[in-house]
Amino acid sequence: MPHNDEPPVTLRIFGKQSRFLREQREMTRRELAGLIPYSESLIAMVERGERPPKPGYVDAVDQALGANGVLRVLIPDVAEKHHPAWAEEYVNLQAEALALHVYSTHFLHGLLQTEDYARAVFRSRRPSLDDDEIEKVVQARLLTQELLTRKPPCRITFVLEEPVIMRKIGGQRVWEGELRNLLQLGELHNVQIQIMPLSRQNHAGADGPMTLLETRDHHTVGYVEGQQGSYFLTDPDDVSVLSHRYGTIRSQAHDAEASRAFIQRLLTGEARE
């Protein structure tokens, strides 16, 4: 069943209120952007409830629109959280998961990212995040990695498309550090990492990345992320399809030992880059 991707009510209320005040003054978003140190695109996202405004933004808009504190009073209700609202439910489920199975096609899953790699990923985002925002989300991501060594342990498998580990996110030094991190994590008894080689011409992952998560009450759910949100699959028929597909993907990828050897060859320069 689809995950509800609606922005939080508080953000929608703030967005509608700030838009109402702007339009009452017959002011366009571009004109408002000319009065405050924030872009027209950011104003649009905030007004749609898609982006939590920072206190500085709220202060600037409140003053520019002559709102006399009507917007400022909402600051505690719209304060930015560590994770986007649409990801909160998944983060909570992942922290308590009994098992997690991940197929990655673009970037390494957050559980596998070093701090430098995570920072480079967030710096790549568009619209851009400022330095304070990046540090918040990086530290939040690192906190999720407690799952890797949690007791009782979570059973975790990853299948990574070869380009995921070939792409040098953050540059050579960050990339090499990430490869060493993968080798280290692969030694954990509850973690298995496999590489899907580019040489395989056909495989079951054509529909893109996915995650299968076993909850603490032994239900398995599917999770799929997109550009602007995500959704859960909880219908048994849908979960069965994803489970079969993931099993096939694992069987088509290099096994854990061969995958580890490939990563080691990348580090020594013996593998093709």
Side-chain angles (χ1 to χ4, degrees):
M1 89 186 239
H3 173 54
N4 182 9
D5 250 350
E6 278 287 301
V9 173
T10 52
L11 296 189
R12 281 183 280 155
I13 290 174
F14 179 88
K16 288 180 180 180
Q17 183 71 21
S18 58
R19 178 178 178 176
F20 173 78
L21 290 170
R22 175 178 59 78
E23 291 179 343
Q24 256 201 334
R25 286 153 183 77
E26 299 183 346
M27 185 184 296
T28 66
R29 288 172 178 155
R30 179 171 296 182
E31 289 171 337
L32 176 58
L35 299 176
I36 63 176
Y38 298 92
S39 68
E40 183 180 351
S41 62
L42 177 61
I43 293 170
M45 286 188 288
V46 171
E47 288 187 348
R48 291 193 297 264
E50 296 172 355
R51 186 81 173 263
K54 288 188 166 185
Y57 173 95
V58 179
D59 283 336
V61 172
D62 190 281
Q63 182 175 352
L65 297 179
N68 298 317
V70 169
L71 297 179
R72 287 194 188 100
V73 75
L74 294 173
I75 287 177
D77 300 305
V78 296
E80 187 172 25
K81 296 181 179 180
H82 286 311
H83 301 281
W86 56 265
E88 285 291 327
E89 188 174 355
Y90 174 77
V91 169
N92 293 334
L93 281 176
Q94 179 180 276
E96 299 181 342
L98 299 180
L100 190 70
H101 307 292
V102 179
Y103 172 53
S104 297
T105 62
H106 291 78
F107 293 103
L108 288 171
H109 189 274
L111 292 175
L112 297 177
Q113 295 180 8
T114 64
E115 182 172 350
D116 288 339
Y117 184 99
R119 189 172 288 111
V121 168
F122 286 118
R123 287 192 185 282
S124 300
R125 284 196 171 178
R126 296 296 181 272
S128 301
L129 301 176
D130 65 33
D131 289 342
D132 288 342
E133 290 175 312
I134 289 172
E135 288 310 307
K136 284 181 181 179
V137 291
V138 167
Q139 294 310 312
R141 173 153 294 180
L142 296 178
L143 283 175
T144 68
Q145 295 177 4
E146 294 177 358
L147 180 67
L148 295 165
T149 54
R150 188 199 68 192
K151 294 182 181 180
C154 177
R155 304 182 302 278
I156 308 174
T157 65
F158 297 95
V159 179
L160 313 175
E161 283 290 335
E162 186 177 323
V164 172
I165 62 168
M166 298 292 288
R167 186 174 292 114
K168 298 182 179 181
I169 301 294
Q172 185 75 20
R173 179 188 62 80
V174 173
W175 179 67
E176 291 180 356
E178 184 58 62
L179 293 181
R180 286 190 288 270
N181 185 56
L182 291 176
L183 292 175
Q184 184 176 355
L185 293 177
E187 294 178 352
L188 296 175
H189 69 90
N190 59 314
V191 176
Q192 189 172 66
I193 298 172
Q194 295 176 250
I195 307 298
M196 177 70 79
L198 273 172
S199 58
R200 178 167 287 281
Q201 297 179 2
N202 299 292
H203 66 79
D207 286 342
M210 64 174 177
T211 298
L212 287 166
L213 185 152
E214 183 181 351
T215 66
R216 60 180 178 179
D217 55 357
H218 300 285
H219 289 117
T220 298
V221 299
Y223 180 73
V224 180
E225 286 189 77
Q227 287 282 340
Q228 290 295 104
S230 63
Y231 63 90
F232 286 99
L233 293 170
T234 57
D235 183 275
D237 290 337
D238 293 332
V239 173
S240 177
V241 168
L242 288 188
S243 296
H244 174 74
R245 186 175 297 159
Y246 186 75
T248 304
I249 289 171
R250 288 193 69 191
S251 71
Q252 294 172 332
H254 288 318
D255 63 24
E257 184 176 347
S259 297
R260 181 179 182 84
F262 177 74
I263 295 171
Q264 289 173 326
R265 291 198 301 275
L266 281 178
L267 265 176
T268 59
E270 299 174 35
R272 174 182 58 85
E273 293 189 19

mmCIF file of all heavy atoms in Angstrom, residues 32-60:
data_model
loop_
_atom_site.group_PDB
_atom_site.id
_atom_site.type_symbol
_atom_site.label_atom_id
_atom_site.label_comp_id
_atom_site.label_asym_id
_atom_site.label_seq_id
_atom_site.Cartn_x
_atom_site.Cartn_y
_atom_site.Cartn_z
ATOM 1 N N LEU A 32 9.230 38.754 -3.445
ATOM 2 C CA LEU A 32 9.573 38.431 -2.057
ATOM 3 C C LEU A 32 11.036 38.011 -1.959
ATOM 4 O O LEU A 32 11.745 38.405 -1.029
ATOM 5 C CB LEU A 32 8.662 37.322 -1.533
ATOM 6 C CG LEU A 32 8.958 36.819 -0.117
ATOM 7 C CD1 LEU A 32 8.896 37.962 0.898
ATOM 8 C CD2 LEU A 32 7.980 35.699 0.273
ATOM 9 N N ALA A 33 11.494 37.230 -2.931
ATOM 10 C CA ALA A 33 12.895 36.787 -2.935
ATOM 11 C C ALA A 33 13.842 37.976 -3.015
ATOM 12 O O ALA A 33 14.974 37.913 -2.514
ATOM 13 C CB ALA A 33 13.136 35.821 -4.095
ATOM 14 N N GLY A 34 13.392 39.055 -3.643
ATOM 15 C CA GLY A 34 14.229 40.244 -3.732
ATOM 16 C C GLY A 34 14.351 40.994 -2.421
ATOM 17 O O GLY A 34 15.245 41.835 -2.263
ATOM 18 N N LEU A 35 13.476 40.663 -1.461
ATOM 19 C CA LEU A 35 13.494 41.349 -0.167
ATOM 20 C C LEU A 35 14.174 40.530 0.930
ATOM 21 O O LEU A 35 14.465 41.048 2.002
ATOM 22 C CB LEU A 35 12.057 41.662 0.265
ATOM 23 C CG LEU A 35 11.247 42.579 -0.655
ATOM 24 C CD1 LEU A 35 9.816 42.694 -0.128
ATOM 25 C CD2 LEU A 35 11.907 43.956 -0.744
ATOM 26 N N ILE A 36 14.381 39.243 0.688
ATOM 27 C CA ILE A 36 14.951 38.366 1.717
ATOM 28 C C ILE A 36 16.125 37.588 1.113
ATOM 29 O O ILE A 36 16.212 37.444 -0.104
ATOM 30 C CB ILE A 36 13.893 37.380 2.268
ATOM 31 C CG1 ILE A 36 13.401 36.440 1.161
ATOM 32 C CG2 ILE A 36 12.725 38.141 2.899
ATOM 33 C CD1 ILE A 36 12.431 35.376 1.638
ATOM 34 N N PRO A 37 17.028 37.066 1.938
ATOM 35 C CA PRO A 37 18.191 36.332 1.410
ATOM 36 C C PRO A 37 17.884 34.864 1.119
ATOM 37 O O PRO A 37 18.654 33.961 1.497
ATOM 38 C CB PRO A 37 19.215 36.480 2.552
ATOM 39 C CG PRO A 37 18.384 36.542 3.782
ATOM 40 C CD PRO A 37 17.132 37.293 3.395
ATOM 41 N N TYR A 38 16.759 34.604 0.467
ATOM 42 C CA TYR A 38 16.371 33.240 0.117
ATOM 43 C C TYR A 38 15.818 33.231 -1.300
ATOM 44 O O TYR A 38 15.233 34.209 -1.759
ATOM 45 C CB TYR A 38 15.329 32.692 1.100
ATOM 46 C CG TYR A 38 15.849 32.595 2.521
ATOM 47 C CD1 TYR A 38 15.666 33.659 3.409
ATOM 48 C CD2 TYR A 38 16.559 31.483 2.947
ATOM 49 C CE1 TYR A 38 16.153 33.589 4.707
ATOM 50 C CE2 TYR A 38 17.050 31.409 4.240
ATOM 51 C CZ TYR A 38 16.853 32.462 5.118
ATOM 52 O OH TYR A 38 17.343 32.392 6.392
ATOM 53 N N SER A 39 15.988 32.100 -1.989
ATOM 54 C CA SER A 39 15.634 32.031 -3.404
ATOM 55 C C SER A 39 14.134 31.869 -3.629
ATOM 56 O O SER A 39 13.385 31.434 -2.745
ATOM 57 C CB SER A 39 16.359 30.852 -4.056
ATOM 58 O OG SER A 39 15.854 29.626 -3.560
ATOM 59 N N GLU A 40 13.733 32.188 -4.861
ATOM 60 C CA GLU A 40 12.334 32.024 -5.259
ATOM 61 C C GLU A 40 11.926 30.556 -5.187
ATOM 62 O O GLU A 40 10.805 30.225 -4.786
ATOM 63 C CB GLU A 40 12.154 32.553 -6.681
ATOM 64 C CG GLU A 40 10.721 32.498 -7.188
ATOM 65 C CD GLU A 40 10.609 33.043 -8.603
ATOM 66 O OE1 GLU A 40 11.598 33.608 -9.122
ATOM 67 O OE2 GLU A 40 9.519 32.895 -9.199
ATOM 68 N N SER A 41 12.836 29.632 -5.566
ATOM 69 C CA SER A 41 12.507 28.202 -5.538
ATOM 70 C C SER A 41 12.301 27.707 -4.114
ATOM 71 O O SER A 41 11.415 26.881 -3.850
ATOM 72 C CB SER A 41 13.606 27.386 -6.224
ATOM 73 O OG SER A 41 14.848 27.527 -5.543
ATOM 74 N N LEU A 42 13.112 28.205 -3.171
ATOM 75 C CA LEU A 42 12.936 27.814 -1.776
ATOM 76 C C LEU A 42 11.594 28.327 -1.252
ATOM 77 O O LEU A 42 10.877 27.600 -0.546
ATOM 78 C CB LEU A 42 14.074 28.350 -0.916
ATOM 79 C CG LEU A 42 13.958 28.063 0.590
ATOM 80 C CD1 LEU A 42 13.946 26.559 0.850
ATOM 81 C CD2 LEU A 42 15.079 28.718 1.368
ATOM 82 N N ILE A 43 11.245 29.564 -1.587
ATOM 83 C CA ILE A 43 9.958 30.118 -1.160
ATOM 84 C C ILE A 43 8.821 29.229 -1.658
ATOM 85 O O ILE A 43 7.883 28.915 -0.924
ATOM 86 C CB ILE A 43 9.788 31.559 -1.690
ATOM 87 C CG1 ILE A 43 10.801 32.495 -1.024
ATOM 88 C CG2 ILE A 43 8.364 32.061 -1.442
ATOM 89 C CD1 ILE A 43 10.874 33.869 -1.653
ATOM 90 N N ALA A 44 8.919 28.780 -2.917
ATOM 91 C CA ALA A 44 7.874 27.931 -3.492
ATOM 92 C C ALA A 44 7.765 26.618 -2.737
ATOM 93 O O ALA A 44 6.657 26.145 -2.438
ATOM 94 C CB ALA A 44 8.172 27.674 -4.968
ATOM 95 N N MET A 45 8.911 26.009 -2.408
ATOM 96 C CA MET A 45 8.885 24.726 -1.693
ATOM 97 C C MET A 45 8.294 24.884 -0.297
ATOM 98 O O MET A 45 7.525 24.034 0.168
ATOM 99 C CB MET A 45 10.294 24.129 -1.622
ATOM 100 C CG MET A 45 10.765 23.553 -2.949
ATOM 101 S SD MET A 45 12.319 22.639 -2.803
ATOM 102 C CE MET A 45 13.476 23.984 -2.554
ATOM 103 N N VAL A 46 8.647 25.968 0.384
ATOM 104 C CA VAL A 46 8.110 26.208 1.723
ATOM 105 C C VAL A 46 6.601 26.440 1.652
ATOM 106 O O VAL A 46 5.832 25.899 2.454
ATOM 107 C CB VAL A 46 8.811 27.395 2.403
ATOM 108 C CG1 VAL A 46 8.100 27.768 3.703
ATOM 109 C CG2 VAL A 46 10.277 27.056 2.692
ATOM 110 N N GLU A 47 6.162 27.214 0.677
ATOM 111 C CA GLU A 47 4.732 27.507 0.556
ATOM 112 C C GLU A 47 3.924 26.254 0.217
ATOM 113 O O GLU A 47 2.746 26.159 0.555
ATOM 114 C CB GLU A 47 4.501 28.589 -0.504
ATOM 115 C CG GLU A 47 4.953 29.967 -0.057
ATOM 116 C CD GLU A 47 4.572 31.071 -1.018
ATOM 117 O OE1 GLU A 47 4.155 30.756 -2.167
ATOM 118 O OE2 GLU A 47 4.697 32.241 -0.637
ATOM 119 N N ARG A 48 4.555 25.293 -0.423
ATOM 120 C CA ARG A 48 3.868 24.029 -0.722
ATOM 121 C C ARG A 48 3.977 23.031 0.424
ATOM 122 O O ARG A 48 3.420 21.938 0.368
ATOM 123 C CB ARG A 48 4.435 23.406 -1.999
ATOM 124 C CG ARG A 48 4.117 24.171 -3.272
ATOM 125 C CD ARG A 48 4.424 23.334 -4.509
ATOM 126 N NE ARG A 48 5.840 23.012 -4.612
ATOM 127 C CZ ARG A 48 6.716 23.688 -5.336
ATOM 128 N NH1 ARG A 48 6.319 24.767 -6.018
ATOM 129 N NH2 ARG A 48 7.986 23.330 -5.398
ATOM 130 N N GLY A 49 4.735 23.390 1.454
ATOM 131 C CA GLY A 49 4.907 22.493 2.586
ATOM 132 C C GLY A 49 5.949 21.421 2.356
ATOM 133 O O GLY A 49 6.056 20.466 3.128
ATOM 134 N N GLU A 50 6.768 21.565 1.313
ATOM 135 C CA GLU A 50 7.736 20.541 0.946
ATOM 136 C C GLU A 50 9.083 20.711 1.651
ATOM 137 O O GLU A 50 9.890 19.782 1.654
ATOM 138 C CB GLU A 50 7.970 20.562 -0.569
ATOM 139 C CG GLU A 50 6.743 20.216 -1.372
ATOM 140 C CD GLU A 50 6.941 20.443 -2.866
ATOM 141 O OE1 GLU A 50 8.021 20.956 -3.252
ATOM 142 O OE2 GLU A 50 6.016 20.118 -3.622
ATOM 143 N N ARG A 51 9.307 21.861 2.241
ATOM 144 C CA ARG A 51 10.603 22.138 2.880
ATOM 145 C C ARG A 51 10.366 22.843 4.202
ATOM 146 O O ARG A 51 9.696 23.875 4.240
ATOM 147 C CB ARG A 51 11.440 23.021 1.953
ATOM 148 C CG ARG A 51 12.863 23.279 2.403
ATOM 149 C CD ARG A 51 13.778 22.118 2.063
ATOM 150 N NE ARG A 51 15.151 22.457 2.362
ATOM 151 C CZ ARG A 51 16.027 22.909 1.456
ATOM 152 N NH1 ARG A 51 15.646 23.101 0.213
ATOM 153 N NH2 ARG A 51 17.261 23.164 1.800
ATOM 154 N N PRO A 52 10.874 22.297 5.313
ATOM 155 C CA PRO A 52 10.702 22.984 6.597
ATOM 156 C C PRO A 52 11.545 24.252 6.639
ATOM 157 O O PRO A 52 12.739 24.221 6.338
ATOM 158 C CB PRO A 52 11.199 21.959 7.622
ATOM 159 C CG PRO A 52 12.110 21.065 6.865
ATOM 160 C CD PRO A 52 11.587 21.012 5.459
ATOM 161 N N PRO A 53 10.942 25.398 6.974
ATOM 162 C CA PRO A 53 11.690 26.654 6.990
ATOM 163 C C PRO A 53 12.555 26.780 8.237
ATOM 164 O O PRO A 53 12.152 26.375 9.325
ATOM 165 C CB PRO A 53 10.591 27.709 6.989
ATOM 166 C CG PRO A 53 9.455 27.056 7.718
ATOM 167 C CD PRO A 53 9.522 25.590 7.328
ATOM 168 N N LYS A 54 13.728 27.356 8.067
ATOM 169 C CA LYS A 54 14.585 27.646 9.214
ATOM 170 C C LYS A 54 14.072 28.904 9.920
ATOM 171 O O LYS A 54 13.381 29.736 9.313
ATOM 172 C CB LYS A 54 16.023 27.860 8.756
ATOM 173 C CG LYS A 54 16.724 26.590 8.323
ATOM 174 C CD LYS A 54 18.187 26.878 8.082
ATOM 175 C CE LYS A 54 18.969 25.591 7.979
ATOM 176 N NZ LYS A 54 20.417 25.859 7.867
ATOM 177 N N PRO A 55 14.411 29.061 11.205
ATOM 178 C CA PRO A 55 13.968 30.265 11.922
ATOM 179 C C PRO A 55 14.345 31.558 11.215
ATOM 180 O O PRO A 55 13.564 32.515 11.191
ATOM 181 C CB PRO A 55 14.671 30.132 13.276
ATOM 182 C CG PRO A 55 14.802 28.658 13.475
ATOM 183 C CD PRO A 55 15.086 28.103 12.103
ATOM 184 N N GLY A 56 15.544 31.599 10.603
ATOM 185 C CA GLY A 56 15.971 32.798 9.897
ATOM 186 C C GLY A 56 15.064 33.114 8.724
ATOM 187 O O GLY A 56 14.774 34.286 8.436
ATOM 188 N N TYR A 57 14.626 32.077 8.035
ATOM 189 C CA TYR A 57 13.696 32.269 6.921
ATOM 190 C C TYR A 57 12.378 32.830 7.438
ATOM 191 O O TYR A 57 11.822 33.774 6.862
ATOM 192 C CB TYR A 57 13.478 30.938 6.204
ATOM 193 C CG TYR A 57 12.409 30.982 5.124
ATOM 194 C CD1 TYR A 57 12.755 31.198 3.798
ATOM 195 C CD2 TYR A 57 11.059 30.808 5.438
ATOM 196 C CE1 TYR A 57 11.782 31.253 2.797
ATOM 197 C CE2 TYR A 57 10.082 30.857 4.456
ATOM 198 C CZ TYR A 57 10.449 31.076 3.130
ATOM 199 O OH TYR A 57 9.485 31.129 2.153
ATOM 200 N N VAL A 58 11.857 32.230 8.510
ATOM 201 C CA VAL A 58 10.582 32.669 9.069
ATOM 202 C C VAL A 58 10.660 34.133 9.490
ATOM 203 O O VAL A 58 9.767 34.933 9.198
ATOM 204 C CB VAL A 58 10.164 31.789 10.260
ATOM 205 C CG1 VAL A 58 8.844 32.281 10.850
ATOM 206 C CG2 VAL A 58 10.042 30.329 9.834
ATOM 207 N N ASP A 59 11.748 34.489 10.171
ATOM 208 C CA ASP A 59 11.924 35.887 10.601
ATOM 209 C C ASP A 59 11.929 36.831 9.406
ATOM 210 O O ASP A 59 11.284 37.893 9.429
ATOM 211 C CB ASP A 59 13.238 36.039 11.376
ATOM 212 C CG ASP A 59 13.136 35.504 12.792
ATOM 213 O OD1 ASP A 59 12.014 35.442 13.324
ATOM 214 O OD2 ASP A 59 14.179 35.145 13.360
ATOM 215 N N ALA A 60 12.680 36.447 8.356
ATOM 216 C CA ALA A 60 12.817 37.317 7.189
ATOM 217 C C ALA A 60 11.486 37.500 6.471
ATOM 218 O O ALA A 60 11.118 38.618 6.084
ATOM 219 C CB ALA A 60 13.864 36.741 6.232
#
